[in-house]
Amino acid sequence: MTKETIKTADAKLTVYLNGPNWEGVQAATFGDFSCKSPEAGAQVVDAGIELVRNAGIDRVIGPMSGDTWHNYRFVSYSDGSTPFLMEPTNKTHEPEVFWSAGFSEISRYFSARVELEDTDKVAPPESDGFEVEAWDGNDPEGLFRQVFALSAQAFSKNAFYKPISESEFLAMYLPVVPMMKRELILFARRHDGNLAGFLFGIPNYAEGPTPSSAILKTYASLEPGAGRHLAHKFHKAAAEMGCKTAIHALIHDDNKSADRSAAEGATIFRRYSLLGRKLNG
């Protein structure tokens, strides 16, 4: 990945020239951004735009550290609650630097919370196509190889999707294995043994060693209905672990899981924006 970091005493920005496509056109991304003041931020963003122009690229997405597998999105609304584990964070003045530089919103996301006692107590109708099971705790590398293969297939049509290698994926996720609870790692498996879907949940250790909330971090399915079954099993397992609240994390506004979260009665507590600018537009 071609990248260059622009750094001053009061600001930092990494420009990734080999970013994902935006509306079918290759884009660069601005990631790893921080600044002590809007003025300092504007200095590195302007320098980044000049670097992108000189590379012959006319679209920039940010904040995004190269692709959607890594950190991306600004917090655009918050109820003031403490960030949860692995949630994007930023200083309140940092998004304004991008807006002032001519960026606009190109994608929206949210996180919501629901009291587990309020989630659906009745299991979805049984499916003949798959069965949901928890990870047995063995072979974490094999686990994430399966997750990678299904993720690459399930997410490939998402906006701003850019493929990465299996080795890159494993390097990101294997370090979190010590924090994982196998009860919250769920698979929907077809009768031939192939995966129809998965759900990756994790206790919200940002609250401390005995958290009262669990995060529904990521799920994907290739089979209709698998997502609902996985979410139901996750809520039940989290409650049995002693958690009181589930966090439905980082959901795209237009995703089917957004409708499911709303149907569960979850309340939005954070919103996020991904911004973009067409330099010649």
Side-chain angles (χ1 to χ4, degrees):
M1 180 181 294
T2 304
K3 65 179 182 179
E4 182 172 333
T5 297
I6 302 167
K7 192 173 183 179
T8 68
D10 296 323
K12 183 182 76 168
L13 175 76
T14 300
V15 179
Y16 297 81
L17 294 175
N18 187 23
N21 284 352
W22 172 16
E23 297 176 342
V25 179
Q26 170 84 43
T29 75
F30 286 175
D32 316 314
F33 175 66
S34 64
C35 63
K36 294 182 179 178
S37 68
E39 294 76 17
Q43 183 180 353
V44 296
V45 167
D46 288 346
I49 289 172
E50 186 64 20
L51 192 158
V52 171
R53 287 188 191 277
N54 290 339
I57 301 170
D58 69 354
R59 298 188 180 206
V60 188
I61 300 169
M64 179 185 288
S65 296
D67 52 53
T68 56
W69 299 97
H70 295 85
N71 291 336
Y72 71 107
R73 297 168 284 210
F74 277 131
V75 174
S76 56
Y77 159 79
S78 175
D79 68 353
S81 57
T82 302
F84 57 83
L85 186 71
M86 298 186 286
E87 182 181 11
T89 60
N90 52 263
K91 301 182 184 73
T92 54
H93 64 265
E94 289 173 347
E96 184 56 38
V97 175
F98 277 60
W99 288 101
S100 296
F103 285 73
S104 58
E105 187 175 70
I106 58 175
S107 201
R108 298 181 65 194
Y109 311 81
F110 69 88
S111 293
R113 66 168 66 91
V114 62
E115 298 299 317
L116 287 168
E117 65 179 8
D118 295 334
T119 56
D120 189 2
K121 299 298 189 300
V122 180
E126 290 188 11
S127 170
D128 293 332
F130 58 86
E131 293 182 359
V132 174
E133 61 185 21
W135 178 42
D136 62 10
N138 297 319
D139 189 16
E141 184 169 326
L143 160 75
F144 280 114
R145 288 185 189 279
Q146 293 180 72
V147 169
F148 170 75
L150 191 142
S151 297
Q153 185 177 355
F155 299 151
S156 62
K157 295 182 180 180
N158 288 0
F160 316 116
Y161 175 82
K162 183 175 182 289
I164 61 172
S165 69
E166 182 183 74
S167 60
E168 289 176 293
F169 181 85
L170 294 177
M172 286 191 296
Y173 282 94
L174 287 180
V176 307
V177 168
M179 296 188 293
M180 290 165 50
K181 295 292 185 182
R182 61 187 183 89
E183 299 90 341
L184 301 180
I185 310 298
L186 305 170
F187 295 106
R189 199 174 293 279
R190 297 188 178 100
H191 298 305
D192 62 5
N194 291 322
L195 283 184
F198 76 89
L199 185 151
F200 174 37
I202 191 167
N204 182 22
Y205 289 116
E207 297 176 340
T210 56
S212 64
S213 61
I215 305 164
L216 198 169
K217 181 68 174 63
T218 305
Y219 77 81
S221 67
L222 304 175
E223 190 83 29
R228 183 181 175 189
H229 281 261
L230 288 163
H232 174 81
K233 183 80 170 180
F234 166 80
H235 290 140
K236 183 178 178 181
E240 290 174 351
M241 290 172 55
C243 292
K244 304 299 184 185
T245 306
I247 294 172
H248 300 163
L250 304 167
I251 299 172
H252 193 285
D253 276 15
D254 297 331
N255 197 295
K256 289 182 180 178
S257 54
D259 296 332
R260 188 65 207 159
S261 178
E264 291 281 1
T267 301
I268 293 173
F269 65 91
R270 209 102 69 217
R271 290 192 180 275
Y272 318 86
S273 293
L274 183 65
L275 308 181
R277 178 180 168 185
K278 300 177 182 179
L279 303 183
N280 298 324

